Amino acid sequence: MGHPRPLVIDPTGRDIHGEAARIRERGPVTLVELSDGVQAWAVSSPDLLKRLLTDPRVSKDPRQHWPRWINGEIAPVWPLFTWVAVQNMFTAYGGDHKRLRALVSKAFTARRTAALRPRIEEIAASLLDGIEEAGRHGQVVDLREEFCYPLPIRVISELFGLPEEQGAELRAVVDGVFHTSATPEEVTDNYARLYAALGELVALKRRSPGDDLASALIAVRDDGDTALSELELLDTLVLMVSAGHETTVNLIDNAIHLLLTHPDQLAHVRSGRVPWEDVVEEALRVEAPVASLPLRYAVEDLKMSEFGGPDGVVIGKGEAILAAYAAAGRHPGKYGEDADRFDVTRTDKEHLAFGHGVHFCLGAPLGRLEARIALRALFDRFPGLRLAVPQAELEPVDSFISNGHRSLPVRLP
């Protein structure tokens, strides 16, 4: 079938919300072009997106449902290759997804997440001690580097028993996964380093298992249980380590930035009129930590009119789908004409920042808890915190997927 000219997505993510607005202007579902000419249908309508995310005729498994992958057209140098190539619950479909998700779902129960609160509070307090010392004489402190980043990575590292000496390399390669404008050489180098680092982790845990989630997953594999292959083991660790910190880093980063640039909204929290939970949810809505998530695939022809979408638009069997979360989070049809505005008193803060349906993020409760603890601790400790540079000088991370700042320089009171 003939398609309208696709909107070319900027792989650097330099203008995520401007691009999201252009996607919405083209309708609730529109054709876009990703790196190397790969096309996908970007869905920006929250209602339409929710219906597609819960329909069994939409898959995340390229090996079964994406002809371009099946035919060998997607090369390892493609910047989004890792997002498609991994074999874990992120890309699994049907029974495979249920099997893989069950292996890690017990780690993120409400009880286990709540039990982490004291440790998260300890980590936050320790990091703030260091920030207070660094900023004692009016020096600029990069909060993304010194607070937003280390808090989630230390939490996920303790959960999975990641050795401290591997921290720098794991951070570097995970950042590389989200670098959507990487060169072919950078993509292949990062892919090799990623699996080398995780291979070292698995070897270490096999020699010296501990009371951690990595050891538990390895035990499932090494007990001869065919429910988890060696590649699925590595790729599950890829998912847990990357998703376990990148989204939370961006959530904390964006929420701090929003509060510092909207003092009237911060005043609502300080007065007790609004709880920190509302701040977190509104930040997730207006600044989705993952702006767009690749990829899903139509198992059969999907008429959008059957999902409440536009007449005459069909996502053909095997065509790719991009969940445009940043565009959906500011959709005026759902949130009104002030959808772009950060408003912690907003009645409707429902969002899709953590996904929807069977692929809803398992770590969402933990990410929310970390953000609430981090924000309360930061603003209680430094009530006069302020940005050290004009807002216009803040640069986004180099990604159309990851939505955050390269740095968040502040001055302490």
Side-chain angles (χ1 to χ4, degrees):
M1 61 175 289
H3 294 321
R5 185 183 180 91
L7 175 69
V8 178
I9 297 297
D10 178 4
T12 70
R14 305 305 292 171
D15 183 22
I16 280 177
H17 291 298
E19 194 163 74
R22 292 188 287 276
I23 289 173
R24 288 194 301 267
E25 288 170 1
R26 293 166 63 102
V29 54
T30 189
L31 202 62
V32 298
E33 184 176 303
L34 308 176
S35 301
D36 296 344
V38 173
Q39 295 187 0
W41 290 94
V43 184
S44 60
S45 160
D47 291 339
L48 179 58
L49 187 52
K50 286 174 70 173
R51 294 185 187 108
L52 287 170
L53 294 179
T54 54
D55 196 288
R57 294 171 294 172
V58 175
S59 169
K60 294 195 75 177
D61 187 351
R63 292 162 184 80
Q64 294 187 61
H65 302 118
W66 195 24
R68 294 204 61 171
W69 180 271
I70 296 167
N71 297 334
E73 299 173 30
I74 304 302
V77 296
W78 189 44
L80 303 181
F81 182 81
T82 304
W83 292 86
V84 176
V86 289
Q87 294 186 44
N88 54 36
M89 64 184 180
F90 180 78
T91 57
Y93 175 72
D96 278 339
H97 175 260
K98 292 179 182 177
R99 171 177 60 87
L100 292 167
R101 190 176 176 98
L103 292 173
V104 293
S105 61
K106 294 177 182 179
F108 295 99
T109 62
R111 178 177 296 179
R112 184 159 190 168
T113 297
L116 291 170
R117 176 184 289 274
R119 182 59 184 139
I120 298 171
E121 292 173 341
E122 288 177 7
I123 294 172
S126 174
L127 292 171
L128 293 176
D129 288 343
I131 289 169
E132 185 169 13
E133 180 62 30
R136 189 178 299 279
H137 303 293
Q139 295 168 293
V140 172
V141 177
D142 181 356
L143 276 189
R144 183 175 176 92
E145 184 68 24
E146 303 298 333
F147 188 61
C148 306
Y149 220 116
L151 175 62
I153 197 65
R154 283 178 62 177
V155 172
I156 203 69
S157 293
E158 291 187 11
L159 272 176
F160 281 85
L162 307 180
E164 188 174 342
E165 59 270 20
Q166 271 197 297
E169 177 66 0
L170 283 170
R171 171 180 172 172
V173 293
V174 167
D175 283 350
V177 172
F178 287 86
H179 182 20
T180 53
S181 60
T183 66
E185 294 77 17
E186 289 172 331
V187 172
T188 53
D189 176 67
N190 194 74
Y191 191 80
R193 287 172 60 193
L194 174 65
Y195 283 92
L198 290 172
E200 289 179 16
L201 172 64
V202 169
L204 172 65
K205 292 298 177 180
R206 282 189 169 126
R207 292 193 304 269
S208 304
D211 184 19
D212 55 70
L213 299 184
S215 296
L217 287 172
I218 292 166
V220 171
R221 168 64 180 156
D222 290 351
D223 280 346
D225 190 333
T226 56
L228 191 66
S229 71
E230 188 72 9
L231 181 57
E232 287 172 339
L233 167 63
L234 289 171
D235 284 350
T236 297
L237 290 172
V238 170
L239 176 61
M240 293 295 100
V241 174
S242 58
H245 82 270
E246 183 73 18
T247 53
T248 309
V249 171
N250 288 341
L251 167 56
I252 298 171
D253 169 349
N254 288 329
I256 294 170
H257 171 255
L258 288 164
L259 290 169
L260 291 179
T261 54
H262 296 79
D264 58 324
Q265 301 303 306
L266 180 56
H268 285 307
V269 190
R270 292 201 187 285
S271 68
R273 291 189 294 271
V274 172
W276 284 109
E277 287 82 356
D278 284 359
V279 175
V280 171
E281 296 310 305
E282 177 65 351
L284 285 164
R285 180 197 71 82
V286 78
E287 291 286 0
V290 172
S292 294
L293 191 64
L295 281 170
R296 286 172 166 82
Y297 320 95
V299 175
E300 59 185 64
D301 287 354
L302 302 175
K303 296 180 180 179
M304 292 298 96
S305 59
E306 296 179 1
F307 294 84
D311 292 332
V313 178
V314 178
I315 299 179
K317 178 180 179 180
E319 291 186 325
I321 300 169
L322 185 72
Y325 292 136
R330 296 189 178 198
H331 200 287
K334 178 172 177 57
Y335 303 106
E337 292 305 312
D338 68 343
D340 286 334
R341 182 171 180 266
F342 174 62
D343 180 3
V344 296
T345 68
R346 187 184 300 275
T347 302
D348 184 4
K349 299 183 187 69
E350 182 189 21
H351 57 78
L352 296 170
F354 288 118
H356 187 68
V358 296
H359 284 278
F360 182 80
C361 178
L362 270 177
L366 178 57
R368 284 177 161 123
L369 177 63
E370 290 178 74
R372 292 196 301 267
I373 291 172
L375 294 173
R376 180 183 291 111
L378 176 70
F379 285 97
D380 282 352
R381 177 80 73 97
F382 307 119
L385 191 70
R386 66 189 190 280
L387 284 176
V389 300
Q391 182 180 349
E393 293 184 13
L394 296 179
E395 296 184 11
V397 295
D398 192 14
S399 174
F400 85 90
I401 296 175
S402 182
N403 178 26
H405 300 93
R406 287 191 180 183
S407 64
L408 195 60
V410 299
R411 291 190 190 278
L412 308 186

